[in-house]
Amino acid sequence: MLSVVRLAPAEGRDFAALAHGSAQREPYGKAAPRTWSERHTWHGPKGLGGVAGCFGSLRRGRARDKHHLASALVQAGSDHTADRADAEHDEAHGSGEPVNSWRANIAAVVCAAVRNGSPRMRLATLLGDVHFWIPLGVFAAGVALLRWLP
Amino acid sequence: MASVDAARLRRLQALGVLSGVTAGAWLGAAEAPTKLVTLGIPPVAISFVMVLGVFLARWSLPALLRGTAGVRADLARAPHLVIWALLAGGLWAVANTLTVHAIRDVGLAIAFPLWNANGLLGIVWGALLFGELRNAGARRWLGVCGGAALLFAGAVVLGQASVADAPPAAALRGVAAALGAGLLWGTMYIPYRKAYLTGMHPLSFLAFFTVGELATMGALAWSELGGPLGVWRTLAAAEGVLFWLLLGGFVWVIGDLFQQYAAKYVGIGRGIPLSNTNQLWGLLWGVFVFGELAHAEDAVMARVVGGSVLMAAGALAIALSSAPVREHQHWQAAAAREASRYGLDPAWVQARLAGDDPDAGAAHRRSALDWTLVAGASLVFLAAASVAQAPALAIRLDAALTLALASLMLLVWCAQALWRTTRFG
């Protein structure tokens, strides 16, 4: 049986679907991107400005998302509606609607790869791990020994 | 981290011991196909083709156990482990090439026990870096260290029996090469242990390990055989025996896979000495299938029997010294340290350490890419088999079948136990 969760009006959007489990939603009620192309679509300005903005977001980290989430978190109990938070967000960071810009989309993919890959690779951590230098040093010594042998 | 319950731990330890023994059998059997190659092929080329066989073998049947989806899932969780696996593959390739020099300069009798000391080095690294044997008690310390010492002594005796009359040509260089190979192989197990304390799946590790092996061996073959054309010409001249070398690589990768499980479930301090019993299996193949030592004197045969008994006693001592719960807590502390250092989910690492596979759903999907890889790798083996020449060496088929059957039975037993306990996790 479908159960409907009663929520404060300020939070009200289609929460019945959320309770039903048919949609995965962010705290502020916007459907989370589910497909690869949704995740890698640039939501900022078009054209070269979009490319620059995308790389700018890489430098700033996920400030855009943090801002959006923060807007949603302060809305409960105030007259701040989710729609208003969205509008404020769009004014500051561009429209929430996807734009058809292949350059910006490619840049978004590159940014996502760098953003996700870099911390996960944890290269700095690896290089700071003494366990890594033992086999690497032994490998170098082995290669040197091999070159020394006639 | 929550500790693994005692009954589960005992099962995992028994599984690790069984994997180590199976690894020894298959790593020893891998020598058999290479014995069929009697042509004057450069040792680097032999090693390169075997490594090519190892690489192709990983992407044949094992690709159906854990395909590209599973490897991708591991990669997404802990991409830094790829570097560890590549490094381990590079260490293996350099060590293997050093053994060629060692055998040439001091003979197998001296070289083999020297590089087999890697088991002792494994105990040192395991205890120093990963909390192995900590709080294990005097009896287990004695069992593991004494067992490894017995295996080493057995290796010395068997080595002397195998090649009693090999003249040392360039002693210093040969001893340096053999010790170097032991150092590299012993250190290679640091990446092994590191990977398993951080939750990597053995088949994912093996996938990248074979890439590291092939790349390093390819570079060595390139420089020694005079570039790609030189490599190609050498391989083309030896097309009749390529299959036997690829087959050796195929058998080796099965042994190495079980060695990975041994390193995962009993640690490197116990796992390496157990899999070092491959020397014993290699000798069994040599004596019974290829007729080595057929005209040996009684004293030599006594050494063979004595060395074999020593090795078997050493393996038994280690097998009976499994890690108690209080030692396993130190393993878990090492795993927690790794998870914290590399920002991994401790629950995921803990599950993998206990032989569970949290990504089982994703790992068991077979994609078109998997089937293509399996088909491609199998085709290369079939193509090599179609131009293979029958070995000129006389072999005793009944003994070969008996040993092959014994190895297969071990494989089935161990695979069944792995499936039941960990779903090959």
Side-chain angles (χ1 to χ4, degrees), chain A residues 120-123 125-126 129 131-132 134-136 138-139 142-143 145-146 148-150, chain B residues 76 79-80 83-84 90-91 94 98 101 104 125 173 176 187 194 220 337 341-343:
Chain A
R120 283 191 186 174
M121 275 304 286
R122 302 168 186 97
L123 195 61
T125 314
L126 185 74
D129 187 349
H131 293 182
F132 176 67
I134 299 170
L136 194 67
V138 169
F139 177 74
V143 172
L145 179 60
L146 209 51
W148 173 70
L149 293 169
Chain B
H80 66 283
I83 297 174
W84 287 106
L91 283 164
V94 174
L98 282 173
H101 289 271
R104 185 193 63 194
W125 289 135
R173 283 202 307 267
T187 308
K194 196 84 172 175
L220 290 171
R337 180 194 65 203
R341 177 178 284 156
Y342 289 100

Side-chain angles (χ1 to χ4, degrees), chain B residues 77 100 403:
Chain B
R77 290 270 192 180
V100 176
L403 280 173

Side-chain angles (χ1 to χ4, degrees), chain B residues 25-27 29-31 33 57 246-256:
Chain B
W26 281 81
L27 291 173
E31 292 173 25
L246 290 175
L247 185 65
F250 186 93
V251 175
W252 186 89
V253 89
I254 295 173
D256 191 59

